[in-house]
Amino acid sequence: MKAPNLPKALDMPSIPLKQPSAEMPVFPPIVIPPSNLSAPKGVEGKEKEEVQTEQPKLSLPVIDIDLPLPTAEVVATATYAAVAAVATTTLATPLFDKLKKQIQKFLQKKIDKWKEQKQQKKNLKDSSVN
């Protein structure tokens, strides 16, 4: 068997690609003092005031029970969430009602048209049998 006569390959020029380069951002180092750092001898510092984190309580003297009350942060978060929920519902309800009415009208028209076509097919079938 004879080898096929194939044309020579095309000479394709090579495309030189440069390696990408980028400038890296440089940030100044952050010095964090150790947790056991103390002032040198002879230097007086200000005393830190301890923040009281005790949960507030409501005393009911008649039944002698202390009820824990939520902190101000919890009350504020719950208030914001409740206001947002009520506002969203109040604004969205009329929009959804309008959409619901339009969709119901559209679907009712389609159902009526389907019933009409079904009735016409039935009438045609009955008339062709007679």
Side-chain angles (χ1 to χ4, degrees):
M1 180 167 204
K2 190 175 178 183
N5 188 10
L6 297 175
K8 291 184 179 181
L10 296 173
D11 186 29
M12 299 293 287
S14 64
I15 301 172
L17 294 176
K18 292 182 182 177
Q19 201 167 22
S21 64
E23 292 183 22
M24 297 299 293
V26 179
F27 298 103
I30 299 174
V31 179
I32 301 174
S35 62
N36 60 356
L37 185 66
S38 60
K41 292 181 180 178
V43 176
E44 293 182 15
K46 294 181 181 178
E47 295 286 328
K48 290 185 179 179
E49 294 180 20
E50 291 187 22
V51 179
Q52 189 177 17
T53 59
E54 185 179 322
Q55 188 172 8
K57 294 181 181 180
L58 175 65
S59 268
L60 299 175
V62 176
I63 52 178
D64 197 29
I65 293 179
D66 288 339
L67 293 175
L69 296 175
T71 60
E73 294 86 10
V74 172
V75 173
T77 305
T79 304
Y80 294 144
V83 168
V86 169
T88 303
T89 304
T90 303
L91 296 175
T93 300
L95 174 69
F96 288 131
D97 286 344
K98 188 171 184 174
L99 284 173
K100 179 182 167 188
K101 287 178 184 177
Q102 289 180 348
I103 292 172
Q104 280 179 335
K105 286 180 184 178
F106 174 77
L107 289 176
Q108 191 60 47
K109 286 180 185 177
K110 292 291 184 182
I111 290 170
D112 291 343
K113 189 174 181 180
W114 175 75
K115 285 181 180 179
E116 185 179 308
Q117 288 176 350
K118 189 175 177 182
Q119 186 65 33
Q120 286 177 354
K121 286 182 181 179
K122 185 178 179 184
N123 290 343
L124 285 174
K125 192 186 245 186
D126 289 345
S127 64
S128 65
V129 172
N130 290 335

